[in-house]
Amino acid sequence: MATWSTLKEYVRSHYKISDEQPDSVRLIFDVGDLRSQVVFLWRMSLLDGQEDWVQIESPFGRLESVDLRGAIDSMGKVVCGGIAAMGDLVTVRHSVPLLNLDINEFERPLILVTNTADRLERQFQGGDQF
């Protein structure tokens, strides 16, 4: 996979897309126990459009209600992703370059971000909003 278009084709053929825009894809995963997790794929462009990346991002709470120190501490042993903000949401986010991307370099972070966000949502929100 070397382009945003080829990644979107792959995602369309392997996952159920709930929304698709030119530079984003929204997925919803069943994570068990009657829970779901929203995951966004964003096309990120660096060097004035010469270098494309995919950002994998999944919300787990609202800024005003998450214990940010606790969430950061909880991420201490996580090897994939970090905490970020998307508007008023707190998210788990990971990015990878598209050029020369192997499928495992997309698939494994996708699963890790999804599961980490769900775990943090359980831990810090107690419910299933995302």
Side-chain angles (χ1 to χ4, degrees):
M1 266 179 266
T3 68
W4 173 246
S5 294
T6 55
L7 177 64
K8 283 181 27 173
E9 287 175 26
Y10 175 83
V11 170
R12 273 190 222 103
S13 69
H14 288 82
Y15 298 100
K16 184 178 177 185
I17 294 174
S18 69
D19 186 45
E20 184 175 346
Q21 301 298 319
D23 291 328
S24 67
V25 174
R26 181 179 182 213
L27 306 167
I28 300 178
F29 288 92
D30 176 356
V31 291
D33 295 331
L34 301 174
R35 296 177 60 83
S36 62
Q37 191 64 40
V38 174
V39 177
F40 295 95
L41 306 177
W42 306 101
R43 177 185 183 199
M44 306 304 289
S45 189
L46 305 175
L47 302 172
D48 294 325
Q50 296 178 34
E51 186 177 321
D52 281 341
W53 288 56
V54 60
Q55 183 171 287
I56 304 164
E57 186 165 34
S58 185
F60 67 88
R62 301 205 177 277
L63 276 172
E64 70 273 0
S65 64
V66 170
D67 168 12
L68 291 177
R69 178 59 197 212
I72 291 167
D73 287 345
S74 186
M75 289 291 292
K77 294 189 181 192
V78 173
V79 298
C80 181
I83 291 180
M86 179 175 67
D88 68 339
L89 301 177
V90 185
T91 66
V92 176
R93 179 187 291 173
H94 183 77
S95 300
V96 294
L98 289 173
L99 185 64
N100 300 317
L101 181 71
D102 275 346
I103 194 59
N104 68 308
E105 295 169 327
F106 169 73
E107 285 286 344
R108 190 65 177 132
L110 178 63
I111 298 305
L112 290 170
V113 166
T114 301
N115 290 336
T116 300
D118 182 59
R119 178 181 59 80
L120 292 173
E121 185 177 14
R122 285 179 196 235
Q123 183 176 353
F124 292 100
Q125 298 292 271
D128 185 25
Q129 297 177 327
F130 308 102

